[in-house]
């Protein structure tokens, strides 16, 4: 994209959100012996771990290349834009959650999880990064 535009707007509204999904035929999976189910589970977990670590490492290197080699300018989205995006995203999530009992259950579970993780993340990773990283 740096060839089309010399601006990098952040934060990405989709972040953090990188994850992988694995789909199996439930009947076929459950018909496997337990040791093979554990192998499948372990491979999925290991692949997820690998993908997340590669994501962080490669994105950091790519950002440095954009800034240093391609002279891309980083611009933080204004707080008003981020607030509006959050409001719209919450509206869409609520609309989708209202479509089925399972969607509602997943949405409620996610919101509860988000509260717990968000409060921990603000005193762990966010505070840590704020203390060690130079201001961009």
């Amino acid at each position: 994209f740096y060839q089309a535009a010399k601006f990098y707007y952040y934060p990405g509204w989709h972040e953090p959100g990188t994850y992988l999904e694995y789909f199996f035929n439930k009947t076929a999976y459950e018909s496997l012996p337990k040791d093979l189910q554990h192998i499948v589970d372990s491979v999925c977990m290991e692949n997820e771990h690998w993908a997340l670590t590669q994501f962080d490492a490669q994105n950091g290197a790519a950002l440095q290349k954009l800034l240093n080699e391609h002279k891309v300018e980083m611009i933080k989205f204004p707080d008003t834009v981020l607030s509006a995006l959050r409001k719209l995203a919450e509206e869409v999530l609520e609309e989708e959650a209202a479509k089925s009992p399972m969607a509602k259950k997943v949405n409620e579970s996610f919101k509860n999880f988000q509260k717990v993780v968000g409060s921990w993340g603000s005193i762990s990773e966010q505070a840590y990064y704020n203390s060690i990283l130079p201001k961009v």
Side-chain angles (χ1 to χ4, degrees):
F1 289 123
Y2 71 89
Q3 294 170 331
K6 292 290 185 179
F7 303 103
Y8 182 111
Y9 285 88
Y10 73 97
W13 186 246
H14 62 293
E15 300 294 353
T18 300
Y19 66 93
L20 302 173
E21 294 177 287
Y22 304 92
F23 296 92
F24 303 99
N25 177 291
K26 184 177 179 181
T27 303
Y29 175 81
E30 289 175 346
S31 71
L32 293 172
K34 290 293 180 195
D35 62 332
L36 292 182
Q37 287 181 15
H38 290 300
I39 289 171
V40 169
D41 295 344
S42 295
V43 168
C44 290
M45 287 187 287
E46 177 59 26
N47 194 53
E48 180 74 12
H49 179 259
W50 180 85
L52 289 174
T53 56
Q54 291 300 307
F55 172 82
D56 284 337
Q58 291 177 2
N59 277 346
L63 178 61
Q64 292 306 309
K65 187 173 183 177
L66 285 174
L67 296 174
N68 299 323
E69 292 179 32
H70 302 297
K71 306 302 181 201
V72 170
E73 180 182 349
M74 290 187 63
I75 302 170
K76 183 181 181 290
F77 282 116
D79 290 340
T80 54
V81 170
L82 293 173
S83 292
L85 285 170
R86 180 180 183 145
K87 182 180 181 211
L88 291 169
E90 288 171 355
E91 289 173 11
V92 170
L93 287 170
E94 292 303 319
E95 288 172 14
E96 291 300 314
K99 292 181 178 179
S100 76
M102 179 57 78
K104 182 178 180 179
K105 181 179 177 180
V106 168
N107 188 44
E108 291 301 318
S109 177
F110 180 78
K111 288 191 299 189
N112 290 332
F113 178 76
Q114 197 175 33
K115 288 176 189 172
V116 172
V117 170
S119 62
W120 165 245
S122 67
I123 64 166
S124 62
E125 279 115 24
Q126 183 178 6
Y128 172 74
Y129 285 128
N130 288 345
S131 71
I132 67 164
L133 292 176
K135 300 298 177 204
V136 178

